[in-house]
Amino acid sequence: MKDIDCLCVSIMSGFIPSTNNLLDRAKNRSLALDGGVGTALNQLGVKENDAWNAPSLLSDPYIRESVKSVHLSFLKCGVDILSANTYSFDVSVTYADYKLKDLSSVKTHQELVSENLELANEAIDQFMADESTKMNNNLRPLLAMPIASFASTITARCSTANRELKDEVDHHRCEGYGFTASDIRSYFEGRLNDDVLRFAGKSGVATLAFETVGDLLEVEIICDILNEKADLLEEVGLGTWIALTCGTSETVDTGGSIAACVEKMAKCPQVTCVGVNCTEPHLITPILETIKRVLSDCDAENKLIVVYPNSGETYISRELKEGETDHWKMTSACKDWNLANAALEWIESGANIIGGCCRINAVSIAQLVENIKKHNRECQSNYSS
């Protein structure tokens, strides 16, 4: 890790050091995260089912090149953090199938993680080798390794909190999604296999990114496992963030308290960054207020805050009816808002890292990056003067 005194001198002189540590990179500046990979794949013409299952389909040259193209599109926007496409490896399986197929085995799981991390690094290498990148003296973007919530293993259930179901009754909107703590623990122990974590560290991953976490019990289990693996995480240099998906400004997807979830994360030393993703944008500001308050109350203000909402559209988690052509439906929540402009408000409310999730494409991320860069320049100028 960089010497802190040298780091501070470098920042004050206007030079941001090339560090793979998330906390160091975010000192005195805001960071831009990428957008929705599935959305971008759809826009390239990849079928929705293939887009969601792309992490498992890299043996298909078309899928592989499409994913790489998406990574490059976000890198060319100037993002500070790129997410490898490791969120979920087979969203169609049920939890029972997950165990039967033994997807948590070292060989199968590690191979899939390996392929996707290597592809993300290949895209970053290509971006860094580009002459325009060299001329701009860009830092190598940090690499995040997304990990899907347990909810992603539940058949016929999407992970985002703003969804529309067939019978309008969500039987999994209850503690633990209706599963036991041992079920949820088994899933995350598979995703956090020691060999996978070691490989992630060797691959240059800066942070694990637990995404669309919508349940208090789930947060508790993730934090418990991270605590158990504290020595290994420190050894391989991995940070972690946990991003909640929220149904209201006060509750996560299954109805638990956002404040209670943040308190659990605040008290977990292995959690580098807390935040929210795949949540309607109009909920972000009040959620940030809760996060800031709880972190302050828990004396954990050293933790970063990450925000990457979806577009505000509702996901139709059922077969489309006559006249419907898309699983995403426009709502009042996604009108009259702009990610790039909203980001400035969220930064003022305490966010350190901002990006996009479902339905947020490279066009929106490019605008976001410009606003964040402008904000950072203004802050640096004010600090210098």
Side-chain angles (χ1 to χ4, degrees):
M1 184 179 293
K2 299 282 185 182
D3 180 84
I4 296 298
D5 292 332
C6 292
L7 178 64
C8 292
V9 170
S10 297
I11 290 174
M12 287 189 288
S13 66
F15 172 71
I16 306 298
S18 179
T19 172
N20 199 47
N21 183 284
L22 186 62
L23 288 170
D24 288 351
R25 191 73 72 92
K27 283 183 181 290
N28 292 353
R29 66 194 297 257
S30 303
L31 302 179
L33 178 65
D34 56 8
V37 174
T39 295
L41 287 172
N42 283 157
Q43 291 179 341
L44 285 177
V46 178
K47 295 178 181 178
E48 184 166 11
N49 190 56
D50 288 345
W52 277 107
N53 288 289
S56 304
L57 302 175
L58 294 188
S59 58
D60 181 332
Y62 170 68
I63 297 296
R64 190 180 193 283
E65 285 306 307
S66 295
V67 173
K68 183 179 177 181
S69 177
V70 168
H71 286 328
L72 285 169
S73 71
F74 288 127
L75 290 168
K76 290 173 182 177
C77 292
V79 296
D80 300 290
I81 305 171
L82 181 75
S83 300
N85 199 25
T86 57
Y87 174 78
S88 178
F89 292 113
D90 190 351
V91 298
S92 66
V93 298
T94 63
Y95 180 71
D97 287 335
Y98 182 87
K99 291 191 289 187
L100 288 173
K101 292 183 179 182
D102 197 20
L103 294 181
S104 63
S105 67
V106 174
K107 181 179 179 181
T108 303
H109 184 221
Q110 186 168 341
E111 284 181 350
L112 292 169
V113 170
S114 172
E115 289 175 357
N116 284 276
L117 291 182
E118 287 174 0
L119 183 58
N121 273 317
E122 184 180 314
I124 294 175
D125 289 342
Q126 182 174 326
F127 171 71
M128 295 302 295
D130 187 271
E131 288 302 319
S132 62
T133 304
K134 292 179 181 178
M135 289 177 61
N136 291 327
N137 197 29
N138 288 32
L139 290 176
R140 184 179 180 87
L142 298 176
L143 183 60
M145 181 178 136
I147 298 173
S149 68
F150 177 81
S152 70
T153 71
I154 302 172
T155 188
R157 183 194 189 279
C158 68
S159 301
T160 183
N162 50 312
R163 60 184 178 274
E164 180 180 312
L165 301 175
K166 181 178 180 180
D167 56 7
E168 298 183 357
V169 177
D170 193 335
H171 301 288
H172 298 290
R173 218 163 219 159
C174 55
E175 184 183 53
Y177 308 103
F179 289 79
T180 67
S182 61
D183 289 336
I184 298 173
R185 169 173 273 273
S186 178
Y187 165 73
F188 283 109
E189 285 177 341
R191 293 301 306 261
L192 297 172
N193 180 282
D194 286 1
D195 288 337
V196 170
L197 295 182
R198 287 192 179 92
F199 184 83
K202 291 177 181 178
S203 299
V205 172
T207 184
L208 305 176
F210 296 90
E211 299 183 336
T212 61
V213 176
D215 182 71
L216 176 58
L217 176 61
E218 183 176 34
V219 171
E220 293 173 347
I221 290 169
I222 293 171
C223 289
D224 287 345
I225 294 175
L226 291 177
N227 183 59
E228 293 164 10
K229 294 182 178 290
D231 291 342
L232 178 56
L233 291 169
E234 182 176 4
E235 175 191 330
V236 299
L238 287 174
T240 64
W241 79 49
I242 302 177
L244 306 171
T245 183
C246 306
T248 73
S249 61
E250 297 180 350
T251 60
V252 292
D253 186 24
T254 61
S257 161
I258 293 173
C261 290
V262 175
E263 181 177 357
K264 183 65 180 179
M265 292 186 272
K267 294 179 179 179
C268 180
Q270 289 70 46
V271 175
T272 310
C273 180
V274 306
V276 56
N277 85 298
C278 217
T279 295
E280 295 174 88
H282 73 278
L283 299 176
I284 299 300
T285 298
I287 291 173
L288 281 172
E289 292 172 358
T290 298
I291 292 174
K292 288 285 288 182
R293 173 177 55 79
V294 175
L295 290 180
S296 177
D297 290 346
C298 295
D299 195 25
E301 293 174 290
N302 61 317
K303 295 187 188 292
L304 301 176
I305 299 176
V306 60
V307 170
Y308 46 125
N310 56 38
S311 64
E313 295 166 82
T314 296
Y315 185 79
I316 303 175
S317 187
R318 54 169 172 75
E319 290 186 10
L320 296 180
K321 300 176 182 177
E322 185 177 351
E324 293 177 333
T325 59
D326 197 319
H327 278 278
W328 288 95
K329 183 172 69 175
M330 295 285 290
T331 67
S332 58
C334 55
K335 295 178 180 178
D336 301 324
W337 87 283
N338 174 279
L339 175 64
N341 293 333
L344 299 178
E345 176 186 344
W346 297 337
I347 289 170
E348 292 302 316
S349 297
N352 306 98
I353 303 167
I354 299 175
C357 197
C358 295
R359 307 290 276 185
I360 303 295
N361 59 23
V363 173
S364 295
I365 295 299
Q367 296 169 348
L368 167 71
V369 169
E370 284 305 308
N371 270 11
I372 287 181
K373 285 183 176 179
K374 181 180 178 182
H375 172 81
N376 286 337
R377 287 194 298 268
E378 290 174 351
C379 288
Q380 181 67 37
S381 176
N382 292 338
Y383 183 82
S384 300
S385 61

